Amino acid sequence: LKPIFEVLVGPKTAHTLKLDEKVDVKKLRYFYCLDNGDMKCSGICSEVKKTVDKVVKHFYDISGREVEFVKLKGAEASSKLWRYWMTQEPANFNYMLGNSKEINPLIETAKKIFGRSEFTLASIYSLIDSILPEEKAEKMRKITKELDEEVQELLGDDGVLFYPSTTYSAPFHYAAFIQVYNFHYWSLFNVLHLPATQVPMGLNSQGLPLGIQVIAAKNQDRLTLAVAEEMEREFGGWIPPFQSHGDQN
């Protein structure tokens, strides 16, 4: 990830972010969350919780200090925050999807039922969302500001937060269209513009991938990368969710 990230941000920003600076993961402060409190999201499944527990134990062992449990005030509005800030993007998704022509979400929904729509179900969901009542701008901006200040004060320049990537392991096909709000476990950090590194954590009892997010304060990307590297070393990194059959075609 590090060399790819350096290319993406360019040499000047890479220097500003001190990406080549050595990070001693034993001296960092660690925190963890188990849920965002958003009632629209599913509860954390037991195997995701066990994954978080494994990570917490390891970093307690190497740092010699408690990995503190925290609840982020305002995280319960994750879905609303994402929805509001997406409306602040300069591009119009409807026009982009329709090549500068406006698309009717209701017509596309009906067409999708009969297999006649050109668009994916996820795209149609986004179109439908665009015609629903808007979130209250003043309230969303206030929550975002307070949450941002809370995270910056909590993590500073030496703190790392472990946060579930979602509420379950890899879902069945199309399950995400039923549990549509569970992606707000990672959308929250897009809203806050925080560095987040997704770290593979092996497979669950059914052989499906598990993972966890490593979060740091703004411009502290080197911390998430260093902690992710330590987790890869300890827990084995990415594991393919299938058995290899050699050179069979």
Side-chain angles (χ1 to χ4, degrees):
L1 291 178
K2 183 180 173 183
I4 294 174
F5 187 54
E6 288 176 335
V7 171
L8 287 173
V9 301
K12 184 177 180 180
T13 302
H15 177 73
T16 302
L17 294 175
K18 303 177 182 178
L19 294 179
D20 291 324
E21 186 176 291
K22 180 72 174 176
V23 176
D24 187 348
V25 295
K26 296 179 181 179
K27 295 182 178 180
L28 298 179
R29 295 179 301 117
Y30 295 102
F31 306 87
Y32 74 101
C33 283
L34 285 177
D35 67 85
N36 62 11
D38 193 326
M39 296 297 291
K40 294 179 181 178
C41 297
S42 305
I44 294 289
C45 76
S46 60
E47 289 184 301
V48 170
K49 185 180 183 304
K50 288 178 183 177
T51 299
V52 176
D53 290 342
K54 282 198 304 184
V55 172
V56 167
K57 181 181 183 305
H58 174 68
F59 283 93
Y60 169 77
D61 289 343
I62 68 169
S63 68
R65 63 172 79 175
E66 181 184 0
V67 180
E68 185 181 342
F69 173 75
V70 295
K71 288 185 74 70
L72 300 179
K73 185 179 179 182
E76 67 276 4
S78 294
S79 57
K80 293 183 177 181
L81 292 175
W82 167 263
R83 186 166 183 265
Y84 168 73
W85 285 107
M86 284 299 289
T87 65
Q88 303 306 297
E89 293 291 321
N92 184 310
F93 178 71
N94 191 310
Y95 285 164
M96 290 174 61
L97 195 65
N99 288 326
S100 300
K101 294 181 181 180
E102 189 170 1
I103 301 170
N104 187 312
L106 300 181
I107 291 176
E108 289 304 323
T109 301
K111 289 167 65 177
K112 191 67 177 178
I113 293 173
F114 296 100
R116 304 296 295 175
S117 176
E118 300 177 12
F119 307 113
T120 65
L121 192 56
S123 297
I124 295 173
Y125 268 33
S126 295
L127 292 174
I128 294 172
D129 185 67
S130 68
I131 63 174
L132 297 177
E134 297 180 355
E135 302 294 342
K136 296 179 180 178
E138 184 178 350
K139 182 179 180 180
M140 293 301 103
R141 288 180 177 271
K142 181 176 183 292
I143 294 174
T144 303
K145 182 176 183 294
E146 292 174 349
L147 188 52
D148 179 63
E149 290 173 350
E150 179 187 3
V151 172
Q152 298 303 319
E153 183 178 353
L154 177 70
L155 300 182
D157 61 2
D158 66 343
V160 166
L161 172 66
F162 299 114
Y163 204 90
S165 306
T166 183
T167 62
Y168 45 73
S169 60
F172 289 104
H173 293 304
Y174 295 105
F177 295 118
I178 300 172
Q179 300 169 316
V180 294
Y181 294 102
N182 286 344
F183 78 92
H184 292 300
Y185 271 80
W186 53 260
S187 74
L188 176 63
F189 302 109
N190 284 3
V191 166
L192 297 175
H193 297 173
L194 296 177
T197 302
Q198 161 67 16
V199 183
M201 285 293 296
L203 308 177
N204 71 0
S205 58
Q206 295 178 306
L208 296 173
L210 292 163
I212 190 172
Q213 294 179 100
V214 181
I215 315 296
K218 288 179 180 176
N219 299 325
Q220 302 298 329
D221 304 74
R222 69 184 183 281
L223 301 187
T224 71
L225 294 172
V227 171
E229 189 174 5
E230 168 63 21
M231 292 168 67
E232 181 180 49
R233 184 197 64 77
E234 173 66 18
F235 298 109
W238 181 77
I239 299 173
F242 56 84
Q243 291 185 350
S244 174
H245 294 291
D247 297 327
Q248 291 182 356
N249 293 324

